[in-house]
Amino acid sequence: MPTDVVMPQMGESIAEGTIVRWIKKVGDQVARDEPLFEISTDKVDAEIPSPAAGVVAEIRVKEGETVPVNSVVAVIAPAGDRVEKSPAPAAAPAPEPVATAPSEQADGAAASQPPQAASTPLPTSAPAPPAPPSPAPPAHESSPVSESVQDRIHQRSSPLVRKIAKDHNVDISRIPGTGISGRVTKRDILDFIDHSSSSTPVSAASAATAAPASASPSAPQPAPAGADAAPGDVKPMSVMRKKIAEHMIMSRRTSAHVHSVFEVNFASVAKVRDAKKAEYEKAGAKLTYLSFIIKAVCDALRAVPVVNASIDGENIVYHRDVNVGIAVALEWGLIVPVIKKVDELNLLGLSRGVADLANRARSKQLKPDEVTGATFTITNPGVFGALFGMPIISQPQVAILGVGNIEKRPVVIDDAIAIRPMAYLTIGYDHRLIDGAVADEFMSHVKDRIEHWAPTDA
């Protein structure tokens, strides 16, 4: 008996979803719980598993089309049924092109990295006309790839991965993928190139793409917008990009944004981290500066509870729990998974939680409740080398912390010049509720906690 595949409801407030990509085509065999298609909603991007094993008999919704939850998007026929293979429906047409003005850019926070509501350029021009369909990338020059293998490669990799493979003259079919269903991720191909003795010299452009990720293994770099586009191309914004733009503009219109910057000495934290690093690795966690910052923020939120509040009309809601959103930069956008009840976790639990959520965000395995409920957000532009940022508040929160690059700098200590690991921490706050004195009190708690971290606290 055929099984209907419906658009899932990814959270209580979600009423619709957009089909981003069909992983399987009509006529393809599919196992139960094997990824069938990708969707994008207001809250999360996810790969949706098949509800039954069998053959894809029908695909009713085109890529790029948005439909209400519980709508039938495909039909799975029982295994053994003969179904004529056909390509998945073409992407839904984009809106008619309109005249565009030079776009402005504004740094904003999404609701990564560790990746924001992070600072992200947001185009404000009118919707762009659709680009003509791009031809499939050419096969590896020295190792021709058959059409069927090429189809599998396209299913197992993103346009960015295929571009890196082309620039480095690498056959993707040789790379074991660590993503869902063996999908080759950006990290897979960069690791393959790093460890391959037969790698060919790369162009300056591809080197610029690969270098940031290899420079910071603990924090994969996001792909630049339009990484698979050629100069002169005009492409429509992705669903996630549109949602980020809408949320950032809404936040700017809602909150009275003010920012304060504090310089913080991380010498005490660095000593504790160096002493405890091996111990944490044996326990299966990587002890990062971010874990210390989250803990310090949690203590400060308990000391200054108004920063952990939100505004509901003319009421102030003081939240019982401390739920911290950690911005994660993805190859296709930005997402903020949430660590719940941070005040109940120690450094080891925080380290494990951050790594788990970041990894599952990049593999599209987050659940709806893992990207909602944050009462405060931390974004880390410093992982890309930024000294500091001016992040946009993630509504309905009233504050956000931006972490700058932690680096050794000369500072004056006891009238002498010393070298210490320093960083700028920026708080963005809603002046409708939080005054400058309150924001500075909160940041003083964070600064004092970090600068006087005791070894027994780890």
Side-chain angles (χ1 to χ4, degrees), residues 96-103 123-129 234-237:
E96 287 297 318
V98 295
T100 60
S103 62
T124 56
S125 59
V234 179
K235 296 194 174 186
M237 295 170 69

Side-chain angles (χ1 to χ4, degrees), residues 6-299:
V6 300
M7 173 64 70
Q9 183 168 17
M10 303 294 284
E12 292 183 5
S13 62
I14 303 300
E16 61 185 17
T18 301
I19 301 287
V20 176
R21 180 175 72 100
W22 282 101
I23 300 172
K24 297 291 184 179
K25 300 177 183 178
V26 172
D28 286 352
Q29 294 282 340
V30 61
R32 180 180 175 85
D33 294 329
E34 183 180 2
L36 183 60
F37 60 97
E38 291 182 12
I39 68 168
S40 183
T41 71
D42 286 1
K43 301 293 184 184
V44 66
D45 279 12
E47 291 185 345
I48 305 304
S50 174
V55 181
V56 180
E58 184 181 356
I59 290 178
R60 297 184 181 178
V61 179
K62 301 174 182 178
E63 291 182 352
E65 188 173 345
T66 301
V67 296
V69 298
N70 297 323
S71 300
V72 177
V73 298
V75 176
I76 305 296
D81 281 16
R82 292 182 61 85
V83 177
E84 184 178 351
K85 283 195 172 241
S86 65
E96 287 297 318
V98 295
T100 60
S103 62
E104 299 176 359
Q105 293 182 335
D107 286 338
S112 347
Q113 185 118 111
Q116 293 184 19
S119 300
T120 306
L122 296 176
T124 56
S125 59
S134 301
H140 190 285
E141 292 181 5
S142 60
S143 302
V145 182
S146 68
E147 184 177 350
S148 61
V149 172
Q150 190 67 43
D151 288 342
R152 290 199 300 272
I153 288 174
H154 274 253
Q155 291 180 7
R156 295 176 56 239
S157 60
S158 67
L160 174 65
V161 169
R162 296 195 293 275
K163 180 180 184 297
I164 295 174
K166 180 181 177 183
D167 290 340
H168 291 76
N169 202 28
V170 171
D171 183 355
I172 297 180
S173 63
R174 297 167 51 202
I175 304 175
T178 61
I180 294 178
S181 297
R183 187 176 184 185
V184 178
T185 66
K186 179 183 176 185
R187 173 60 51 192
D188 293 334
I189 191 168
L190 292 178
D191 287 345
F192 179 85
I193 293 169
D194 287 341
H195 294 92
S196 175
S197 59
S198 60
S199 296
T200 56
V202 299
S203 65
S206 59
T209 302
S214 59
S216 180
S218 61
Q221 311 291 313
D228 61 336
D233 283 357
V234 179
K235 296 194 174 186
M237 295 170 69
S238 67
V239 174
M240 177 178 278
R241 192 80 265 156
K242 285 190 243 182
K243 295 300 181 184
I244 291 173
E246 291 170 4
H247 292 168
M248 294 303 96
I249 292 172
M250 181 270 289
S251 182
R252 277 293 192 187
R253 290 173 176 167
T254 300
S255 296
H257 280 70
V258 183
H259 294 84
S260 294
V261 182
F262 276 59
E263 187 175 29
V264 180
N265 186 336
F266 276 80
S268 295
V269 165
K271 289 180 181 178
V272 175
R273 180 170 174 260
D274 290 341
K276 298 285 186 178
K277 190 185 303 183
E279 178 184 332
Y280 274 60
E281 288 178 355
K282 288 180 181 178
K286 188 170 184 179
L287 185 57
T288 65
Y289 285 114
L290 183 59
S291 300
F292 291 92
I293 294 169
I294 296 172
K295 190 64 176 173
V297 163
C298 176
D299 294 345

